[in-house]
Amino acid sequence: LRIHLARCCNRNEGYWEESESARDERGNTLKEIFSMSHEPSLQKALGFVREVCQRYNSDQQNGHILCLAATTTTTQESGYHYENSANGGNYTAMYDYSPSMITGYREWLLQRYGSLSKINSEWKSDYNNVNDIQPVNTSYPHSENKRWSDWYVFRHNALKKFLDGVSSSAKGVNGSYKVINDFGSVHDGLSFRRATFAFKDLARNTDGTKINDSQYFSHYFSADVLRSNMGTGKWIMNEAFREPGLSQY
């Protein structure tokens, strides 16, 4: 059972308003997906998860549902999206840079470090006001700087809050629902944009992890990455897309 919380680009009007939507690193809004840092939108999404679980509860009771996942991107995956479009073309991007996300990030930094002076010391920066702080984007050249890891951890925490909410919402309706995280990948070049590298932590309160590998990946390797990290009793799944003209073995 896939509970899709996003929309395609030609069917997004009136679904997520601009104030609810995620923004990429250029500041462009993607109205197909909501910002997980926007609390009213988050609660609206989790409320819909509960409604769907209630709607299909009889099917769950009768053993007709294997598992469920809530997806947040236009590609029907959980996590942050990794591209946007402008002037008739697509470009690779990172999310989420919405106002609520940036405000939450600044508050989180003060809690993490205790003061602006400590942030400056750890980041090797010279901010005079915490409201001047902006998250790094993919053009920031110093990957060793804590600005990168702090931004990734904050994005991870926001995603985990959502995924934990999905699990608790579904199991609040019926504790027998098997809830999985449905990611595009957890180890490819886009996974840092998706914020799915720490999939083990993201799955602590769910029943497993599913990925949707490219047909060009080694599915043996992908399965081993999941199996060696997920722990006893956790489900692992890989959805391999059939591509005409390629070997089916």
Side-chain angles (χ1 to χ4, degrees):
L1 179 61
R2 176 176 286 165
I3 306 174
H4 190 41
L5 300 168
R7 278 292 183 269
C8 292
C9 58
N10 60 350
R11 293 188 291 130
N12 62 2
E13 289 302 320
Y15 195 70
W16 293 114
E17 300 296 334
E18 185 164 345
S19 61
E20 302 173 309
S21 303
R23 295 188 185 185
D24 67 23
E25 58 194 301
R26 298 185 185 181
N28 295 328
T29 300
L30 183 59
K31 291 178 67 177
E32 290 85 345
I33 61 179
F34 73 98
S35 173
M36 287 177 276
S37 66
H38 188 253
E39 192 65 24
S41 301
L42 176 63
Q43 294 308 316
K44 185 188 296 185
L46 296 179
F48 184 66
V49 170
R50 285 189 291 271
E51 288 183 30
V52 173
C53 290
Q54 291 165 351
R55 168 66 177 80
Y56 291 98
N57 193 29
S58 60
D59 291 291
Q60 173 65 21
Q61 293 170 337
N62 292 326
H64 297 158
I65 296 176
L66 177 65
C67 60
L68 73 84
T71 54
T72 56
T73 73
T74 58
T75 50
Q76 298 188 38
E77 300 167 354
S78 299
Y80 299 96
H81 200 37
Y82 50 81
E83 65 180 3
N84 205 347
S85 60
N87 302 319
N90 293 340
Y91 60 90
T92 306
M94 188 160 67
Y95 294 84
D96 174 22
Y97 294 78
S98 63
S100 57
M101 190 78 166
I102 294 175
T103 297
Y105 181 51
R106 292 165 178 162
E107 294 171 350
W108 178 81
L109 287 171
L110 284 177
Q111 292 176 351
R112 179 176 177 85
Y113 291 108
S115 67
L116 181 60
S117 61
K118 182 64 173 176
I119 296 173
N120 282 328
S121 174
E122 293 294 325
W123 281 18
K124 299 177 176 59
S125 56
D126 57 357
Y127 291 108
N128 294 317
N129 190 308
V130 69
N131 292 325
D132 294 332
I133 293 177
Q134 295 291 331
V136 296
N137 56 41
T138 50
S139 65
Y140 185 72
H142 303 292
S143 59
E144 76 285 355
N145 191 287
K146 283 191 174 180
R147 301 181 200 214
W148 257 120
S149 58
D150 282 342
W151 180 228
Y152 188 93
V153 169
F154 181 74
R155 293 171 68 239
H156 168 93
N157 290 345
L159 175 57
K160 180 172 170 55
K161 178 182 176 181
F162 164 72
L163 295 173
D164 287 351
V166 170
S167 184
S168 62
S169 296
K171 292 179 182 294
V173 174
N174 187 329
S176 68
Y177 273 117
K178 293 293 186 181
V179 182
I180 62 163
N181 295 332
D182 191 349
F183 299 136
S185 179
V186 296
H187 63 76
D188 70 356
L190 294 174
S191 293
F192 86 97
R193 299 177 190 270
R194 296 187 182 101
T196 56
F197 279 139
F199 63 91
K200 180 178 180 180
D201 185 54
L202 294 173
R204 290 191 191 280
N205 295 315
T206 68
D207 297 292
T209 298
K210 171 180 171 288
I211 57 175
N212 310 313
D213 256 357
S214 164
Q215 64 271 19
Y216 301 103
F217 286 3
S218 168
H219 296 160
Y220 299 109
F221 174 79
S222 297
D224 283 346
V225 169
L226 292 177
R227 185 181 297 110
S228 61
N229 284 279
M230 287 302 294
T232 304
K234 296 282 188 177
W235 291 19
I236 63 168
M237 288 172 273
N238 191 349
E239 178 182 343
F241 293 98
R242 184 181 185 277
E243 180 71 18
L246 292 179
S247 170
Q248 303 305 309
Y249 299 98

